[in-house]
Amino acid sequence: MSDGGAATVLIDTVAWVRVEQGRILCARSRGKDVFYIPGGKREGAESDLETLLREVEEELAVALLPATATHLGTYEAQAHGQPDGVLVRMSCYSGDCRGTPAASNEIEEIRWLSYGDRDRVAPVDQLLFDDLRASGELT
């Protein structure tokens, strides 16, 4: 990074994409005004899969089945609520789980959102919504 211009900061995240009947599972953290795809930031040298398993269990109280995890794509956009130049990179995975998703820890609520709810999610999630809509998965 240089002292002169604005530095780019990258927030590296992993997310679990769960689509059922044309809707996607989203979560809203306590005190936040937008929904996110469940997941979060890696800790230390965690792999994508390790991060995904830990974050989904912490946020939704379900156990992802590691053998079913499939990379769907990676998205980058301006981070919601952060200064210009702070980007979030979201590596998205689908996968089956054991248990029923429920709000846990810092999650205040979970909702199944449709494409019509696109403006209720963070900018990086909107890119995923667009792709899921284009593929016919999100109604």
Side-chain angles (χ1 to χ4, degrees):
M1 291 193 250
S2 67
D3 295 338
T8 298
V9 175
L10 185 66
I11 301 170
D12 185 28
T13 67
V14 180
W16 180 44
V17 178
R18 182 71 177 197
V19 178
E20 293 182 9
Q21 300 174 341
R23 295 180 179 269
I24 186 169
L25 181 63
C26 293
R28 186 175 61 78
S29 299
R30 294 191 202 299
K32 301 290 184 180
D33 60 349
V34 296
F35 283 86
Y36 296 89
I37 307 303
K41 298 178 226 167
R42 77 182 75 245
E43 292 181 356
E46 280 182 327
S47 68
D48 281 7
L49 183 59
E50 290 167 332
T51 304
L52 190 67
L53 296 173
R54 178 183 51 75
E55 285 286 346
V56 169
E57 186 169 353
E58 286 175 6
E59 293 184 357
L60 302 175
V62 295
L64 284 187
L65 304 177
T68 67
T70 303
H71 184 254
L72 300 176
T74 300
Y75 301 87
E76 274 188 28
Q78 170 66 37
H80 177 75
Q82 297 289 328
D84 284 348
V86 177
L87 302 178
V88 63
R89 175 186 295 145
M90 180 175 71
S91 298
C92 297
Y93 292 82
S94 63
D96 296 330
C97 70
R98 188 172 51 251
T100 302
S104 183
N105 289 325
E106 76 270 13
I107 302 303
E108 188 162 327
E109 70 175 310
I110 60 172
R111 279 218 183 137
W112 292 91
L113 301 180
S114 68
Y115 189 76
D117 298 308
R118 183 181 179 274
D119 63 341
R120 300 178 70 190
V121 299
V124 73
D125 297 348
Q126 291 178 4
L127 300 175
L128 173 64
F129 270 51
D130 292 344
D131 279 357
L132 291 173
R133 173 66 177 233
S135 69
E137 293 179 70
L138 205 56
T139 57

